[in-house]
Amino acid sequence: MEHSTSYERIIPLRAVGAMRLRRILLIASYLLIGIGGVLWVLRSMNPYVLLLTLLGLGIWILLTKNFLYIEYEYSFFGGRFSLSKIYGKRSRRLIAEFDSEQLLLVDYDSEEGQRSAQRYRPSTTVSALSSPKLASALLLLWEEEDKTRHLVRVESDERLEQLLRRANPRACSYAFKRGQR
């Protein structure tokens, strides 16, 4: 079944919990390496030490700056859903991709929805939410050709819910079909 409606959304990961700690530690490491390098240069008075310090700090920043800002991208084109993780607004890693016909369950992320999803025994579970304690989330469970099942939690909005209801109504739970959270 071909779907003419497309959907694309980018969700920035909020700095809460472990993500906030990661940002603080990386920025602190930049400062510590910079201050340590300046002290080392002042102590040795060697221009090569300054070059070595700047080179080391530059390499460290280049290697770690992508982990400061993480976003998720959801897209739904032609009945195909894809989920990517974007690091530093540049590099992208595909997390999940499936056709709407492969969906086994679409439900709200509630206790009942979690129980329904766990009955399918998914082999992997991925959370692609901006915050771990988000109230409006969906559970999408699908099965690949090799019979492995995957569960992903995504942020919900009205447009995505309508697209998923139209794309595969068989996979939608009763509560999801009725819009009852």
Side-chain angles (χ1 to χ4, degrees):
M1 176 191 297
E2 189 64 30
H3 303 285
S4 61
T5 309
S6 61
Y7 175 84
E8 189 170 32
R9 183 174 178 198
I10 295 179
I11 307 290
L13 190 61
R14 293 188 189 130
V16 292
M19 185 63 189
R20 177 177 288 160
L21 181 63
R22 179 186 299 165
R23 283 185 183 174
I24 290 170
L25 289 175
L26 282 175
I27 291 171
S29 73
Y30 300 158
L31 291 173
L32 286 175
I33 291 172
I35 291 169
V38 167
L39 293 176
W40 190 28
V41 167
L42 291 176
R43 186 169 178 212
S44 68
M45 290 298 187
N46 187 342
Y48 295 114
V49 172
L50 175 65
L51 181 66
L52 188 64
T53 301
L54 291 175
L55 184 66
L57 181 61
I59 289 172
W60 179 245
I61 289 172
L62 282 174
L63 290 176
T64 60
K65 71 176 179 150
N66 288 343
F67 297 104
L68 286 175
Y69 302 102
I70 299 174
E71 299 172 325
Y72 290 105
E73 179 189 50
Y74 313 149
S75 59
F76 190 85
F77 294 108
R80 190 147 185 85
F81 184 87
S82 69
L83 171 66
S84 299
K85 195 171 189 178
I86 303 170
Y87 296 97
K89 299 188 185 255
R90 288 189 176 186
S91 61
R92 171 185 315 262
R93 186 181 69 130
L94 185 67
I95 295 175
E97 189 172 34
F98 56 88
D99 288 324
S100 60
E101 288 82 23
Q102 291 175 291
L103 280 169
L104 298 175
L105 176 70
V106 179
D107 202 353
Y108 293 114
D109 189 10
S110 61
E111 287 183 33
E112 185 179 328
Q114 288 285 347
R115 278 194 303 271
S116 297
Q118 292 309 316
R119 279 188 227 128
Y120 286 98
R121 295 187 181 96
S123 59
T124 59
T125 302
V126 175
S127 180
L129 303 173
S130 62
S131 175
K133 296 177 181 170
L134 190 68
S136 61
L138 291 177
L139 298 173
L140 305 178
L141 184 113
W142 75 97
E143 185 175 60
E144 294 184 15
E145 288 84 20
D146 62 356
K147 302 296 182 197
T148 57
R149 294 176 178 159
H150 307 281
L151 177 66
V152 67
R153 296 175 64 212
V154 296
E155 288 195 18
S156 173
D157 66 4
E158 189 64 33
R159 189 162 171 225
L160 179 60
E161 289 179 18
Q162 288 174 355
L163 280 171
L164 290 170
R165 282 186 193 107
R166 270 188 266 140
N168 191 344
R170 291 185 332 256
C172 299
S173 70
Y174 181 77
F176 183 74
K177 284 180 187 177
R178 302 290 181 255
Q180 301 167 345
R181 290 188 181 272

